[in-house]
Amino acid sequence: MPVVLVANPKGGVGKSTLATNIAGYFASRGHAVMLGDVDRQQSSRLWLGLRPPQARAIATWEATGDSAVVRPPRGTTHAVLDTPAGLHGWRFKEVLALADRVIVPLQPSIFDIYATRDFLDRLKEQRRAEKTKISLVGMRVNARTLAADRLHEFIASLGVPVLGELRDTQNYVQLAARGLTLFDIAPGRVQRDLAQWQPICDWLEG
C-alpha cells in the first residue's frame, strides 16, 4: 500500500492543497484512499468534513499530532499524510518511516528556499535507504517573475526530481471550500490545472 507524505517545515506553502488533491486523484482512480493529518490545525480533516456525500469517498486516517501514527486498516489501498510546519524529532522519524513517497511543496520565496534546503538534507539522512522516493512541487508559481527564476536556479542545484509547478489560482481555494479537488469536477473547467498535475499523477502511479 503506497503511503504519500506531504511535508515541508514552512507553514503556508500549500501542503494541505497538495495532500487533499492527491487524495482526490487516488479516489478518482477508484482506489480506497485514506487522508490523515498530523498537523494540530487539522486542515485536511476539516476539508474532509466539508466533502459532499456524493463525491468519491476519502476516508479519515486517524493520525493526530499527539499520538503515534499507525498504518491504515486493511482494505485501504492508498494513503496520504498531511504534516505540520516545523516537523522534527520523533514525529518526523515516525511519519517518514511510514512513507513510500515524499512530496515537498515549495514556494518561490527566499525564506522557503533556505528552509527547504535544510529539510531536504534531513530527509536524505533519515529516509529508508533508497526506498523512499522524494520529489519537489513548485506552488503558486508565476513563471513571469524574478522569484520564479530564483526558484528554478535553486531547484537545479538540488539534484532532487521536480514534478512540476502549480500556478496561483482561485480554483484551489474555491474547491477546497466545498471539500472538493480538481479531480471531482468536469475536466473542462480546470483543464489548465489538470495539465500541470499530469506529471505529478504519473509519478504517483509510477
Side-chain angles (χ1 to χ4, degrees), residues 4-182:
V4 180
L5 179 68
V6 181
N8 189 304
K10 281 280 291 173
V13 295
K15 290 188 290 290
S16 294
T17 295
L18 263 184
T20 53
N21 277 273
I22 290 171
Y25 167 71
F26 284 146
S28 75
R29 302 288 290 176
H31 300 306
V33 59
M34 297 189 79
L35 174 63
D37 194 341
V38 294
D39 191 340
R40 290 181 183 275
Q41 294 183 1
Q42 294 286 288
S43 298
S44 292
R45 192 181 183 97
L46 171 64
W47 176 83
L48 279 173
L50 298 172
R51 193 161 174 79
Q54 64 270 27
R56 297 180 185 91
I58 298 174
T60 301
W61 182 4
E62 295 296 338
T64 64
D66 299 316
S67 59
V69 180
V70 297
R71 279 195 172 273
R74 288 189 178 183
T76 305
T77 61
H78 293 68
V80 183
L81 192 58
D82 195 2
T83 60
L87 184 66
H88 65 281
W90 69 270
R91 173 63 75 186
F92 171 67
K93 294 179 181 179
E94 181 189 39
V95 297
L96 186 58
L98 289 173
D100 302 289
R101 298 171 187 265
V102 182
I103 294 185
V104 181
L106 172 63
Q107 288 194 111
S109 82
I110 193 66
F111 303 108
D112 288 27
I113 284 172
Y114 279 101
T116 300
R117 182 187 294 277
D118 292 340
F119 183 63
L120 287 172
D121 289 341
R122 289 168 55 204
L123 276 178
K124 292 174 183 178
E125 292 172 0
Q126 295 290 338
R127 68 177 174 177
R128 297 172 296 165
E130 297 300 319
K131 293 182 180 180
T132 304
K133 296 182 179 180
I134 302 171
S135 65
L136 289 168
V137 173
M139 303 293 290
R140 305 185 186 117
V141 178
N142 183 341
R144 296 171 294 180
T145 63
L146 291 176
D149 292 340
R150 186 163 56 239
L151 177 66
H152 297 155
E153 292 174 4
F154 167 69
I155 287 174
S157 71
L158 292 176
V160 177
V162 182
L163 302 182
E165 297 174 353
L166 305 183
R167 67 190 183 115
D168 189 4
T169 170
Q170 284 295 301
N171 285 342
Y172 293 107
V173 177
Q174 293 168 1
L175 288 168
R178 296 156 51 200
L180 298 173
T181 72
L182 297 173

